[in-house]
Amino acid sequence: MSAFDEIDLETGLIDGRAVADSVQRSVGAEAARFAAEQGRQPGLGTLLVGEDPASAIYIRMKHRASEQLGIASIHRTLPEGASQEDVLRVTRELVDRDDVDGVLVQMPLPAGLDPEPVILAVPPEKDVDGFHPFNLGAIASGLHGVASCTPAGVMTLLDAYGVELAGAEAVVVGRSRTVGMPLALLLLQRNATVTVTHLLTRDLAAATRRADVLIAAAGSPGLITADMVKPGAVVIDIGTTRTEAGLRGDVDFDAVREVASLVSPVPGGVGPMTIATLLRSTVELAWARAEGVTTGR
Ligand code: GUN
């Protein structure tokens, strides 16, 4: 049984849009309850530096979705040539606002800017991205921390489809600080047996063929072929690479679909969950701040 009434568990396909819609409805209800009790909307502050068109689209989508759900958007932009000091100053201005509960600085920053001091400038209690080492460390310690949006969204998808994690072999392809690493920690928290693979893994196929739950987050289109998948496995594709043929995932979808029991498409799988999870985290941070709860508990 799934907690999400509107998804069809029989298609072999993970419908990220349906799950994201369901999450957004509950976030909208929570945002309304927050506003009624606290006398203000939860607030999301964002900073976009430079003119990268894909980043500008993501930011617009985030703001449109937050406004639809009753979350206030406070948006700042800086030009391509902004200095490190400019970025830190505007980040801190967002952090210091009382009406901002979560701060997101869109990554990647333009070349020449160092993301590390910017990540550290957003304190854990307003770190809606879960990028601060404190939040990653809280998750590694089994404590409550903000998990970054894409990994947390993947966990919601797995739960929506009733995927059994305790004792399962979970293999993560990719170890990025924002996706692969936090996802491995979240899977471990749920008692999966987790293997993290990466570019230097000698025999990737030997590792992936063991997986009951295979999660591809390498950013390498078509990397996961059908012969790398155990029959009946659940395959989640986080890779999204823009190619001339459109958006492509890490998984050779048509062939893998024949082998896997459940597979997430690109687009329409993990992607829609990221924004839904960001908005959910914004409302959670708003409640935590209103109630004086600290992260790491
Ligand atoms: N760029 C692509 N995805 C993300 C994300 O989840 N957060 C931030 N801050 N930047 C991104």
Side-chain angles (χ1 to χ4, degrees):
M1 263 300 284
S2 167
F4 295 87
D5 298 337
E6 47 289 278
I7 63 173
D8 184 345
L9 297 175
E10 306 304 323
T11 61
L13 276 185
I14 288 183
D15 185 347
R17 290 199 183 96
V19 180
D21 283 350
S22 171
V23 170
Q24 293 205 4
R25 274 194 296 280
S26 76
V27 170
E30 267 301 288
R33 190 170 73 83
F34 182 90
E37 288 185 23
Q38 301 293 325
R40 68 171 182 90
Q41 293 183 325
L44 173 65
T46 59
L47 170 58
L48 173 64
V49 188
E51 276 97 46
D52 178 53
S55 290
I57 291 170
Y58 285 136
I59 286 278
R60 259 203 310 280
M61 285 166 63
K62 285 166 189 169
H63 283 281
R64 198 173 309 138
S66 52
E67 267 151 27
Q68 278 166 2
L69 299 188
I71 296 171
S73 288
I74 298 93
H75 183 47
R76 297 287 175 267
T77 54
L78 282 169
E80 190 76 27
S83 68
Q84 187 82 39
E85 289 68 32
D86 290 337
V87 177
L88 282 169
R89 177 179 46 78
V90 175
T91 303
R92 291 192 185 112
E93 281 169 13
L94 284 171
V95 166
D96 287 343
R97 286 179 67 128
D98 215 38
D99 57 351
V100 168
D101 299 289
V103 173
L104 177 148
V105 181
Q106 184 68 25
M107 300 290 171
L109 294 172
L113 292 174
D114 182 358
E116 291 305 324
V118 181
I119 287 169
L120 293 176
V122 180
E125 62 275 12
K126 289 200 176 183
D127 171 33
V128 71
D129 263 324
F131 287 176
H132 194 290
F134 183 96
N135 275 319
L136 194 56
I139 290 168
S141 311
L143 299 172
H144 183 85
V146 185
S148 60
C149 304
T150 300
V154 168
M155 299 305 287
T156 306
L157 281 182
L158 292 171
D159 286 341
Y161 281 81
V163 176
E164 179 71 37
L165 294 173
E169 289 274 352
V171 177
V172 182
V173 184
R175 60 167 161 190
S176 70
R177 178 169 144 187
T178 51
V179 181
M181 186 59 72
L183 189 53
L185 295 171
L186 291 170
L187 289 163
L188 203 51
Q189 265 190 6
R190 298 284 298 277
N191 298 316
T193 300
V194 182
T195 304
V196 184
T197 64
H198 47 79
L199 272 178
L200 296 184
T201 297
R202 292 221 173 96
D203 190 348
L204 180 61
T208 60
R209 275 198 285 267
R210 283 205 311 273
D212 302 310
V213 179
L214 175 58
I215 303 190
S220 174
L223 173 72
I224 305 296
T225 49
D227 59 312
M228 296 167 77
V229 176
K230 177 170 155 180
V234 173
V235 180
I236 304 285
D237 193 352
I238 303 184
T240 41
T241 307
R242 261 164 226 287
T243 70
E244 282 179 3
L247 216 54
R248 291 233 18 227
D250 285 353
V251 173
D252 180 3
F253 178 79
D254 290 333
V256 167
R257 199 179 169 183
E258 301 297 316
V259 183
S261 64
L262 199 54
V263 60
S264 74
V266 174
V270 173
M273 289 304 295
T274 300
I275 288 182
T277 309
L278 170 75
L279 301 178
R280 186 177 67 192
S281 296
T282 304
V283 177
E284 284 173 3
L285 287 180
W287 275 118
R289 203 158 67 88
E291 292 172 347
V293 177
T294 51
T295 57
R297 65 188 183 278

